[in-house]
Amino acid sequence: MEGVSVRVAAAVVVLACLTMNLSILPTSGQTLTEFFKPGVLDQCCLLGMQWSNSSRRCSGYPGPVRGIDPASQGACMSVIEVCCLKQIQLDMCESGKRTALDRQLCAVRDSDAGAEQFRECCHCCQMGVASRIQSSSCDAPSLGEPCDSKFVECCSGRPSSNFTIPGLSGDKNNPSDEPDSSNSNSNTAHNNTNDMKDTGDDVNECEIFPGMVCSHLCVDQPKGFYCDCPSGFEMSDDKRTCTFVESSEELDCTTNNACEQRCTTRTSGRSECVCYEGYRLNEDARTCTDIDECTEGTYRCSPSQSCINTKGGYSCLAADCPDGTTRNPRTGQCETDNACLSGFAYNSISRRCEDIDECTVEQHTCRGRSEVCRNLNGTFTCDCEEGFERNRTRACQDINECALGYDDCKVGERCENSHGGFSCRRIHHCGTGYTLDEASQSCVDIDECSIGTHNCAGGFVCQNMQGSFRCVPKECPVGSRFNPGTGECQRINCRRGFKPSRSGSCVDMDECTENTHRCQRHQQCINTAGSYRCRSLVNCPPGYEPTSNSGCQDINECTSNKHRCSGDQECVNRQGSYFCQCPRGFRHDASGRCIDVNECSYGAAICPSTSRCVNTVGSYKCECNDGFISDESGGCLDIDECLADNICQHKCRNVQGSFFCTCNRGYQLREDKRSCEDIDECTQFRGVGGRGGVCGGRCINKPGSYRCECPEGWRLKRDGRSCEDIDECQENIAFCPQQDSICINTRGNYKCPVVRCPEGFAKTTATGPQNSIRCKRVEMDCPECRRGLLSRSYNFLTFPSNVLVPAPLFSMTGARDPDKSYTWRLNLLSARPLKAGILPAHVSNFKLEESLDQAVVSLSSRVEGPQDVELRLDMNITSFYSGFEGVAESRIYLYITEDGAGR
């Protein structure tokens, strides 16, 4: 492609020749026109633009370039790198602008190519949007390009006419830069130009509207632009859209690239089209379509966010809840936020429940003498005033700080108690410089200056201090300091550039603010210590410095030793910059240092799989892995280590490149991985606290095995490992000698409690899993019988001390009669530990849960065993018609054992 594209490419090549590899410059007697053959610039620059999609560093293009003369290969590689860098900068600038318009953060990794252009265009666009919102001026802020252009575009909403491609020089109004209309090699003739009206200032439509004015290639002109198509496409009638042309010619990334995005060449030599991340290849195997991750459900947004599809990706935006609701951070659902708990009230402004200060709104009950209200979150509490404490009647009484030793009287003071406080009376003299204040009983300072008892000499002023005074020299006027010997002020003589201060020292004279400098009108005065300097106001870009005629010239960092190249790098100067070049056989790492090219990193195919690649400076070598030996022909053979005598104590297994030893059943390898030792199953598989191992009871280790035994009261199960409790009651091996005793099985033992009914009561049948026996009153006719104890049940439960809490123990239910009501009361009758060091149970270890006709007793906290606990649960029965009818009593006997042995 020639025409205007030749003008652009030519500018790039000239820039590349001046700023990059100096080895591509024409030799003596060779002109720039003779150096490149026709079409070389176009082809190389187009390859560089395409290469920007594959390499974000624009280096390492896989040369040589097909169709380019060997003498021009070096120049073509430089053009490819320059065009690639410029394309990345333009793309990143436009991406920064879109990021700002999408109201997103201007965030990009510093290591990304074009990161500076992304941030500059994004921040300048944000300033333009802010200026538009504030109805401020949309004039360019004069911060330089491309910032000024992006500011104007985002502020006014119209394209700017000032932005030019960074790094490309040349006057577009110069007739010599116009495209040659006689050249017909381009896919689009010159009459395809979309001419713009002559406004006196050129507009780069291709740069301002990337991907919008042309479907593929946009070429800018001084008075407009025109669209062009790559090879394999043709221009439609609208002169802007390119359509794919079916061709029998095979796809080739270099000579016949018909791919819309990326073209890659496989190791087999076949070329194929590849799409960018976030796109999918169409059926024509040439064009790409954006993947809608939101519709296809492949996005990764949190439940509180909504998915918004973008070109080549997607964004996660916060989804707002309706008014009056708040998103629950745990469930992600919108919930009504005006339902508050007791002690809280709904704030319609903050839309949340806030604590009610009962003390401030007088909704508390702290009315006692010397009581004060203290607010808590959701409630309040009543405290005593300072100096008071609660007595046995819960009333606030005075604290005698003196008697209790709570006072803070110092040595030499005596404590005197008062209502709600105390006072300290001084009993010793205050000392020199102080006098006693009778009202406060404290020592106050004597002002020697006011009463005239000081001894300050002439020229000094008396200044009072605690317990004393000091003589301060009088204040001298500016330009002099006090002489303590004479008591007079003496003049201060400062060196040039300094002047006296009020403190008597010499300070710097600011010639800039005092207008005593000699800087010119185009210079700025900058104050320094004892002098000043003049800085030119000419604003030169980075890499340039002002000249004497207010111009800018390039800084040669290489000759001026301002570069940062290391000793093994060569500094190459560029216009406005420089770069560090590594010697042959080395490359730059991420930090810019030169490192050796590691051929071993190119893949495992360099060396056989049984060997490893060893990198050397400028080369590499293959060494056999451990366990292999060279076959003297470039390969490696496995060594069968098991053929050696006594290499393993029990069994040896050979594997490729190594071997391993195994042991017989019941044995394990020692740390040397060769000899075997017996596995002590009893200790190796023992759980926390000695439980949870291979045995439910006691484990006895044997060579290559183990044996399990159970404690007294337990027997071994058929599996030979677990222990089960022996139910002495069920198997009739328990001995309960007394007549009224019953047998209650416990873990590892049994109990024989004696159950006798009170006089006038008779036993009912003992049934149920809770081992319950009920005593019911025989006669119910007498009035005192109906108002006293109606029934008593005896309930026996056993469980280990490590039972999971909370655990329900016992429930008591009354008759479901709407005319009756019930109340319950739980009492701890006794708690008898059966082993020293066991804490007896407390009523707080149990919890009573009541409903209309039922009460449930639960174990709320762990009780140590072994111990026997007796509880009493009373159910008071009241009739709506006849009043109180009597009490139904339940005795609950708990036999708490130690942690069980069975599993």
Side-chain angles (χ1 to χ4, degrees):
M1 180 181 65
E2 298 183 0
V4 176
S5 60
V6 175
R7 170 176 56 81
V8 177
V12 174
V13 172
V14 172
L15 177 64
C17 293
L18 293 176
T19 61
M20 295 188 62
N21 194 340
L22 299 180
S23 64
I24 69 170
L25 290 176
T27 57
S28 178
Q30 189 179 22
T31 64
L32 183 64
T33 304
E34 296 172 345
F35 187 61
F36 293 109
K37 291 183 178 181
V40 170
L41 298 180
D42 259 355
Q43 180 180 351
C44 297
C45 191
L46 181 59
L47 289 175
M49 296 172 65
Q50 295 175 346
W51 182 241
S52 66
N53 298 326
S54 303
S55 173
R56 303 305 291 177
R57 294 294 177 187
C58 295
S59 59
Y61 184 83
V65 182
R66 293 186 182 180
I68 302 299
D69 187 84
S72 302
Q73 284 287 336
C76 183
M77 297 297 287
S78 299
V79 172
I80 289 175
E81 182 174 349
V82 172
C83 290
C84 176
L85 289 171
K86 298 303 177 183
Q87 185 64 37
I88 290 177
Q89 292 173 1
L90 294 176
D91 293 343
M92 291 298 287
C93 178
E94 190 61 26
S95 177
K97 172 185 171 183
R98 290 195 301 269
T99 299
L101 294 177
D102 290 341
R103 305 292 180 88
Q104 298 182 16
L105 296 177
C106 299
V108 65
R109 292 191 297 265
D110 292 339
S111 59
D112 289 351
E116 295 180 357
Q117 287 76 15
F118 177 92
R119 278 191 288 266
E120 179 181 1
C121 295
C122 183
H123 289 306
C124 292
C125 181
Q126 285 181 339
M127 292 190 296
V129 172
S131 181
R132 179 178 62 190
I133 295 174
Q134 299 172 4
S135 300
S136 302
S137 173
C138 290
D139 295 338
S142 300
L143 296 177
E145 293 297 343
C147 181
D148 290 351
S149 299
K150 297 308 172 186
F151 176 89
V152 174
E153 291 174 15
C154 297
C155 178
S156 63
R158 299 188 301 272
S160 172
S161 59
N162 297 328
F163 181 46
T164 58
I165 300 177
L168 297 184
S169 59
D171 185 5
K172 288 186 177 184
N173 296 322
N174 190 340
S176 62
D177 290 337
E178 292 293 335
D180 185 4
S181 60
S182 61
N183 194 316
S184 60
N185 292 334
S186 175
N187 292 342
T188 304
H190 182 59
N191 55 11
N192 290 343
T193 301
N194 296 276
D195 294 328
M196 303 294 288
K197 293 182 179 180
D198 188 0
T199 59
D201 189 10
D202 177 35
V203 177
N204 191 337
E205 298 81 6
C206 302
E207 182 65 29
I208 298 174
F209 307 102
M212 299 172 63
V213 295
C214 297
S215 65
H216 283 71
L217 301 178
C218 178
V219 182
D220 181 46
Q221 287 187 311
K223 303 303 178 183
F225 68 94
Y226 73 87
C227 300
D228 205 349
C229 298
S231 177
F233 291 81
E234 65 179 6
M235 182 62 65
S236 301
D237 294 337
D238 60 1
K239 305 304 181 185
R240 294 197 180 191
T241 306
C242 297
T243 57
F244 175 68
V245 179
E246 292 291 344
S247 175
S248 59
E249 186 177 359
E250 186 179 0
L251 174 69
D252 187 272
C253 294
T254 304
T255 60
N256 184 29
N257 182 5
C259 298
E260 182 182 30
Q261 292 188 358
R262 295 177 55 192
C263 182
T264 61
T265 302
R266 301 301 183 187
T267 55
S268 61
R270 189 174 67 89
S271 299
E272 61 182 27
C273 297
V274 181
C275 297
Y276 303 149
E277 184 177 1
Y279 290 83
R280 182 183 293 115
L281 192 66
N282 294 328
E283 293 182 357
D284 59 4
R286 297 291 188 271
T287 59
C288 300
T289 303
D290 172 62
I291 299 174
D292 191 343
E293 295 84 357
C294 302
T295 303
E296 297 181 5
T298 58
Y299 62 92
R300 294 185 180 179
C301 296
S302 65
S304 61
Q305 294 177 321
S306 299
C307 176
I308 304 299
N309 186 58
T310 59
K311 290 293 185 181
Y314 64 92
S315 299
C316 295
L317 302 180
D320 296 330
C321 287
D323 293 340
T325 63
T326 303
R327 187 172 301 282
N328 190 320
R330 293 176 296 176
T331 65
Q333 302 298 321
C334 296
E335 300 175 354
T336 304
D337 52 10
N338 57 2
C340 301
L341 299 175
S342 175
F344 295 84
Y346 182 71
N347 189 328
S348 60
I349 298 178
S350 63
R351 295 183 178 179
R352 62 182 181 181
C353 293
E354 297 182 356
D355 173 56
I356 298 175
D357 190 345
E358 293 85 356
C359 303
T360 303
V361 300
E362 293 295 330
Q363 294 182 0
H364 61 86
T365 57
C366 305
R367 309 301 180 187
R369 185 179 180 182
S370 303
E371 276 190 342
V372 293
C373 174
R374 181 167 61 88
N375 185 58
L376 300 175
N377 189 29
T379 182
F380 67 93
T381 184
C382 298
D383 295 338
C384 292
E385 294 180 354
E386 185 177 1
F388 294 84
E389 65 180 357
R390 295 195 184 275
N391 56 20
R392 295 182 179 179
T393 63
R394 303 304 297 167
C396 292
Q397 67 178 14
D398 174 58
I399 300 174
N400 190 338
E401 293 86 356
C402 300
L404 298 175
Y406 292 166
D407 63 277
D408 56 354
C409 295
K410 302 175 183 178
V411 178
E413 296 178 338
R414 68 174 181 273
C415 176
E416 294 183 0
N417 187 59
S418 60
H419 188 70
F422 65 93
S423 60
C424 299
R425 304 289 296 177
R426 188 176 182 85
I427 58 178
H428 297 292
H429 188 267
C430 287
T432 305
Y434 293 89
T435 183
L436 181 65
D437 182 10
E438 289 295 334
S440 62
Q441 285 297 303
S442 60
C443 295
V444 295
D445 172 59
I446 299 175
D447 190 350
E448 295 85 356
C449 299
S450 60
I451 63 178
T453 59
H454 64 87
N455 57 355
C456 294
F460 289 85
V461 179
C462 176
Q463 187 178 76
N464 186 57
M465 298 173 58
Q466 286 293 320
S468 182
F469 66 93
R470 66 177 179 180
C471 300
V472 181
K474 66 180 180 180
E475 185 177 356
C476 294
V478 178
S480 61
R481 67 165 61 97
F482 182 76
N483 189 334
T486 62
E488 300 295 335
C489 294
Q490 295 181 345
R491 181 178 178 81
I492 303 174
N493 296 320
C494 297
R495 59 189 177 91
R496 183 175 181 181
F498 292 85
K499 62 181 180 181
S501 65
R502 290 187 176 273
S503 62
S505 60
C506 292
V507 297
D508 175 55
M509 180 186 300
D510 192 345
E511 296 84 357
C512 299
T513 57
E514 297 179 6
N515 203 23
T516 59
H517 61 85
R518 295 184 179 181
C519 296
Q520 302 298 322
R521 295 181 60 184
H522 66 280
Q523 294 177 324
Q524 178 186 7
C525 176
I526 299 177
N527 186 61
T528 60
S531 182
Y532 66 93
R533 63 185 179 88
C534 299
R535 186 182 68 182
S536 177
L537 295 176
V538 178
N539 187 17
C540 292
Y544 293 84
E545 61 184 356
T547 60
S548 58
N549 58 354
S550 300
C552 295
Q553 65 181 7
D554 172 58
I555 299 175
N556 192 332
E557 295 83 357
C558 300
T559 58
S560 60
N561 201 25
K562 294 181 179 180
H563 62 85
R564 296 183 179 180
C565 299
S566 59
D568 58 344
Q569 295 176 334
E570 177 187 358
C571 176
V572 180
N573 186 56
R574 288 177 173 174
Q575 283 294 318
S577 181
Y578 70 95
F579 70 95
C580 302
Q581 185 171 280
C582 292
R584 185 178 182 85
F586 291 82
R587 62 176 178 84
H588 287 102
D589 62 3
S591 62
R593 297 176 301 178
C594 289
I595 60 174
D596 173 53
V597 176
N598 187 1
E599 295 84 359
C600 298
S601 63
Y602 291 157
I606 294 180
C607 292
S609 59
T610 55
S611 62
R612 59 182 177 274
C613 176
V614 179
N615 183 57
T616 60
V617 179
S619 185
Y620 71 97
K621 61 181 179 179
C622 297
E623 294 181 354
C624 289
N625 296 332
D626 294 338
F628 292 89
I629 188 171
S630 176
D631 61 0
E632 304 300 334
S633 62
C636 298
L637 298 175
D638 174 56
I639 300 174
D640 190 352
E641 296 84 356
C642 295
L643 297 178
D645 295 334
N646 300 325
I647 192 169
C648 294
Q649 182 178 357
H650 284 181
K651 301 175 184 178
C652 177
R653 296 288 187 270
N654 184 62
V655 294
Q656 282 289 317
S658 183
F659 73 98
F660 64 92
C661 298
T662 60
C663 296
N664 298 330
R665 184 175 181 178
Y667 293 85
Q668 63 184 3
L669 283 174
R670 298 181 185 270
E671 293 183 358
D672 60 5
K673 302 300 181 182
R674 296 195 179 190
S675 58
C676 298
E677 62 181 0
D678 174 55
I679 298 175
D680 188 349
E681 295 84 356
C682 300
T683 59
Q684 184 169 349
F685 302 107
R686 182 168 52 194
V688 179
R691 295 194 58 196
V694 294
C695 293
R698 182 170 64 256
C699 179
I700 301 175
N701 186 59
K702 297 167 59 180
S705 183
Y706 64 94
R707 184 179 76 253
C708 297
E709 293 182 354
C710 296
E712 185 178 358
W714 301 79
R715 70 164 60 96
L716 198 64
K717 290 185 178 181
R718 293 184 178 181
D719 59 7
R721 297 174 54 191
S722 305
C723 294
E724 63 180 359
D725 174 51
I726 300 174
D727 190 343
E728 294 85 355
C729 302
Q730 183 69 26
E731 298 181 10
N732 295 323
I733 58 176
F735 176 70
C736 296
Q738 297 193 30
Q739 181 179 0
D740 293 330
S741 64
I742 62 174
C743 180
I744 303 298
N745 185 60
T746 62
R747 294 172 62 85
N749 207 340
Y750 64 94
K751 296 281 187 177
C752 295
V754 178
V755 178
R756 294 188 180 94
C757 292
E759 184 177 356
F761 289 79
K763 292 183 182 180
T764 61
T765 304
T767 60
Q770 294 181 318
N771 297 321
S772 299
I773 295 179
R774 186 182 181 191
C775 295
K776 192 174 182 180
R777 182 178 290 277
V778 178
E779 181 64 41
M780 298 294 295
D781 292 339
C782 56
E784 64 274 10
C785 298
R786 292 194 296 270
R787 296 295 186 268
L789 182 65
L790 301 179
S791 67
R792 174 183 293 171
S793 65
Y794 297 84
N795 307 275
F796 304 93
L797 293 89
T798 178
F799 53 86
S801 60
N802 63 344
V803 66
L804 294 178
V805 293
L809 300 178
F810 179 79
S811 64
M812 187 174 185
T813 306
R816 296 193 176 182
D817 189 343
D819 297 332
K820 296 183 183 296
S821 62
Y822 306 94
T823 59
W824 288 269
R825 184 174 62 181
L826 180 66
N827 294 309
L828 176 64
L829 300 183
S830 66
R832 184 168 61 89
L834 304 180
K835 187 178 180 181
I838 301 299
L839 294 177
H842 189 264
V843 70
S844 61
N845 295 122
F846 304 92
K847 181 180 180 182
L848 180 63
E849 300 178 357
E850 305 176 28
S851 61
L852 292 177
D853 57 359
Q854 187 182 49
V856 178
V857 178
S858 300
L859 181 67
S860 60
S861 60
R862 178 174 175 174
V863 177
E864 293 185 274
Q867 67 172 298
D868 296 344
V869 179
E870 182 180 359
L871 301 173
R872 189 184 74 194
L873 178 61
D874 295 334
M875 181 177 69
N876 300 309
I877 306 172
T878 304
S879 174
F880 179 77
Y881 298 101
S882 58
F884 180 73
E885 293 186 348
V887 179
E889 177 184 306
S890 293
R891 298 287 181 96
I892 306 170
Y893 296 86
L894 304 179
Y895 300 131
I896 305 171
T897 64
E898 296 181 283
D899 295 352
R903 290 192 297 114

